[in-house]
Amino acid sequence: MANNQNDKNVDAVVVGAGFSGLYLILKLRELGLSFRVFEAGSGVGGTWYWNRYPGARCDVESMQYSYSFDQDLQQEWEWSEVFASQPEIMKYANHVADRYALRGDIEFNTTVVSAHFNEVTNRWAVTLESGEIVHAQYCIMATGCLSSPRAPDFKGMESFKGAVYHTGEWPHEDVDLAGLRVGVIGTGSSAIQAIPVIAEQAGHVTVFQRTPNYSIPSRNGAMSPEYADAWKSEYQTRREIQRTTPNGNYYERSKVGAMDVSDAERRRIYEENWEAGGTQFMAAFKDLSLNQAANDTAAEFVRERICEIVDNAETAELLAPDSYPIGTKRICVDTRYFETFNRDDVRLVDISKCGIDQIIETGLRTGGEDFEFDAIVYATGFDAMTGTLLKIDIQGRDGLTLREKWEAGPVSYLGIMVAGFPNMYTITGPGSPSVLCNMMVAIEQHVEFVADSLGDMQARGADVIEAGPEAEAAWVEHGIEVAYKTLYPKAASWYMGANIEGKPRVFMPYIGGMANYAAKCREIVADGYTGFLFSDRAAAAKRV
Ligand code: NAP
C-alpha cells in the first residue's frame, strides 16, 4: 500500500530514516501496510547524516557494514576503501533510498514530540512538532543508539566568542579550520578519528583528555579488486557466517585463552593482530573480555605500542590507559592518532583531576591556565541508547510514561518491546545486542523480526502485541547475569550510562552474543511468540 503523507490514520508510524527506517519501508510495503515515516534530518542516513566531523569513518569493514537483503545491491555496490568514510556511507544510504524509491515515503525535517497509546482504540497518537497528530496501530522506533549528542554544561559556555562544534552535530556546510587555534574536548572514538584530520588543517590543536582510550590502528586502505571479489564471490555464505558470530563480524576468532600460551607466543599473536589492525584485535584470544589476567596482557601490549609511537614520554604516559580493562569502553580504531601527538602544533592537556574549569570569551580555563581558541570542538559523546527515546514523550498503558518505566534504567523484552507499551517496537533498543554488534547485522535482524511479527499479527487477526511483564523481567535478569560474567561493567562507559550525570548505571546492550540472541528470537517465534501477549479489539472494548 502506498504511503499517504496526508493520512491521519495509518497502520504504522516509523520514527527515523537511518538504515533501520529505510529497510522498514521495504518491509512495510511488502506487507501491504499503510505507513508514515518521520525523520528529523533533511536527508536519510541517521547517525551518518549527523556525524560528519572530519575523519568520520566506520570501524567495521565496508564489505560487512552494508545491507545483505538484496543480492543485486551487494554485488553492484562498490566501496572504495576497506573502512568506508562518512561521505561514502552517505552515498550508499542515498543510493539505497533512490534505488528503491524510498525518499517519497519519508517526511524529512519532521520531529516526533510524543506518542501516546490509546487503550480504547488500541492506537498510538503520534504528535509532530507541527502539532499534527497521526494515529497508528504500530509505532516503530527506528531512532538509533547514538543519536542524541551530549554537550557538557561547563560554566560560561555561552560566553565563548569563537566557533563551537559538536562532532555529533557537525555542520553540513564546509568548516574551514585552516590556520585556526582549535581546542578539542574528549578523546573517545569520534575525537580519535577527528584529531589527526583537524591537526592537518588547523594552526594549533589542544586536546583536553579526561580518560585516555585504547585505540588500534585501522590499517585502512583502498579496496583492492581482489579483496572485493573474494567477498562478492561468496557474499551469501559470508553473510550467513556473520550472523553466527557474537558480534556480527566475519573474522577469525581465537579459540585459545591468553594465559594458555607462552609469553613469547602471546606476544607474537598480539603483534600479528596489531599489524592486522581494527577491532578484531579483541578477538586475539577468546577470553579478553572475560578474564582480568588475560585482559591485562592485551592492555599492557597496547600501552607499550602507545609509548613506542609517542616521542614525548610524559605525553605517552598520559595517552596510555590503565584505569579500566581494554575493550570495556568501546575499543577505538584510528589512523595515526597517537602519531599526531608528535607534531609541534598539537598539545595534550590532562584534565583527569581538574576537569574543565569554565569556558571563557577567548577559550577555556583549566588547571589555572587560560587557553585561547578560535574554535572549540566538543567530542563529548551521546546520551546513548535511551536518550532519543526518552526525549519523545512516550506514554503506554495506564498513562505510564517510558521515562517513569525506565527511571531505574531501561528494561525491555529482547530489546524490541517494552511491557506496558503495546504495539511499540524499538529497533536495536536497549536489551538487544545493538551497539555490541555490527549495527547492520543487528538492524536487519530486528527489522526482519518486526516484519515477521506484523505478518503474524495479520495472520492471527490480533489487534495488539505486547511484551509480557514476566518475560520482560526474566530477560532483564538474564541480561544482567551475562553482563556481569564479563569485565564490561568495570568501566565507567556509555554502555553503563556512566557518561551522563544522574543516568542510572545499568549495562544497556545485551552481551550474550548476536548468534545466541538471534537463535533465541527464532525459538520464541517458532513457539508462537513465547512471552508476548496478544489481544483483539473485543478485549480492548472489555477493558474500558
Ligand atoms: P564517547 O566515546 O562517549 O567519548 C566522549 C569523550 O568526551 C570521552 O573522552 C569523555 O571522557 C569526554 N568527555 C565527556 N564529557 C566530558 C566533560 N564534561 N569533560 C571532559 N571530557 C568529557 O563519544 P564518541 O567519541 O562520540 O563515541 C561514542 C560511540 O560512537 C563510540 O564508542 C562508538 O560506538 C561510536 N562511534 C563509532 C565510530 C566508528 O565507527 N569508527 C566513530 C565514532 C563514534 P571520559 O571518557 O572521561 O568520559
Side-chain angles (χ1 to χ4, degrees), residues 53 57 59 150 187 189-190 193 210-211 329 379 381 494:
Y53 57 85
R57 183 179 292 286
D59 61 10
R150 175 188 161 268
T187 50
S189 295
S190 301
Q193 290 185 328
R210 192 165 65 179
T211 315
K329 280 185 176 218
W494 59 259

Side-chain angles (χ1 to χ4, degrees), residues 48 53 57-60 146 150 152 154 167 185-191 193 208 210-211 213 329-330 351 356 379-382 494 499:
W48 297 103
Y53 57 85
R57 183 179 292 286
C58 189
D59 61 10
V60 174
L146 296 160
R150 175 188 161 268
F154 299 129
T167 46
I185 302 175
T187 50
S189 295
S190 301
Q193 290 185 328
F208 296 90
R210 192 165 65 179
T211 315
N213 255 298
K329 280 185 176 218
R330 162 79 180 209
I351 53 163
I356 301 284
T380 44
F382 300 88
W494 59 259
N499 64 327

